[in-house]
Amino acid sequence: MSWLRQRWAYWLISGLLLALAGCGFHLQTGASIPPSLQGIRVSGSGPSGGALAQAVHRELQREGNIGRNDGPLLQIDNAYVSQRIISISPSSGVALEFLDTLHAQFRVMDQQKKVLLPVQSLLVENSFSYNSGNPLATNEQQIRVERLLMDQGARQILRRVLNSPAVRQPRN
């Protein structure tokens, strides 16, 4: 009986690994950064450009990228966060739910300023609730929500850059 369970577990694990490999699952490694983008640097402008560029830089470091002065440049422009009230308490008139939206544009250029990936727009939305019972938590909550928004924006930018056929093609 033990032998049969062991064999069954082996086939189950093998099947799961095969399914994960087939759906594109991969561990975070530098292997997903194409050779044309090795050493990519990140620069940001706008009120939230620095925070977004730092989030992209962190994600790239997790992928094994070390920015070089002679590497390509991921330029993030006009990055800002807008906030809109989407829910108000009918009894007190206090805002209860907000929608934060991250706006930015980005492009990738090589060292000679030749465009590898033309300008693309980024729009990331995230809603959060306000707890009127604990007003002191709002600043900390806002910081956490903004960090989450920047991390989501960074992952979206990298997904679009790294999967773009324009940057995956070898340059002559």
Side-chain angles (χ1 to χ4, degrees):
M1 190 76 159
S2 173
W3 177 83
L4 185 59
R5 271 192 197 153
Q6 194 175 25
R7 195 65 146 162
W8 187 81
Y10 169 77
W11 285 110
L12 179 65
I13 290 171
S14 296
L16 286 172
L17 288 174
L18 186 61
L20 285 174
C23 74
F25 175 81
H26 68 280
L27 297 174
Q28 289 184 338
T29 65
S32 63
I33 298 176
S36 62
L37 292 181
Q38 290 294 323
I40 191 168
R41 301 170 288 136
V42 184
S43 173
S45 70
S48 298
L52 183 55
Q54 286 175 348
V56 171
H57 182 71
R58 280 192 306 271
E59 289 292 323
L60 282 167
Q61 283 182 323
R62 285 187 194 120
E63 292 288 328
N65 182 72
I66 298 172
R68 298 187 320 251
N69 287 338
D70 64 341
L73 176 66
L74 170 56
Q75 178 68 44
I76 301 169
D77 294 316
N78 307 319
Y80 67 95
V81 175
S82 62
Q83 188 176 75
R84 207 174 66 186
I85 298 171
I86 56 176
S87 174
I88 297 176
S89 169
S91 61
S92 65
V94 174
L96 296 176
E97 192 174 9
F98 297 90
L99 179 68
D100 282 353
T101 306
L102 171 62
H103 307 263
Q105 295 176 326
F106 63 94
R107 62 185 168 169
V108 178
M109 297 176 292
D110 65 10
Q111 185 65 20
Q112 292 77 32
K113 305 257 188 230
K114 181 179 178 189
V115 175
L116 301 177
L117 181 67
V119 174
Q120 303 214 354
S121 295
L122 173 72
L123 183 72
V124 180
E125 294 181 327
N126 196 5
S127 65
F128 72 96
S129 301
Y130 169 71
N131 180 358
S132 60
N134 189 4
L136 295 177
T138 58
N139 286 340
E140 184 180 314
Q141 182 182 21
Q142 183 63 28
I143 291 168
R144 220 180 5 238
V145 167
E146 226 170 275
R147 170 93 187 238
L148 176 65
L149 193 64
M150 295 301 156
D151 290 345
Q152 289 173 341
R155 284 190 294 274
Q156 192 176 108
I157 286 172
L158 286 178
R159 188 171 33 252
R160 288 165 62 184
V161 168
L162 296 176
N163 291 323
S164 168
V167 299
R168 290 212 168 265
Q169 295 173 358
R171 296 278 167 198
N172 294 333

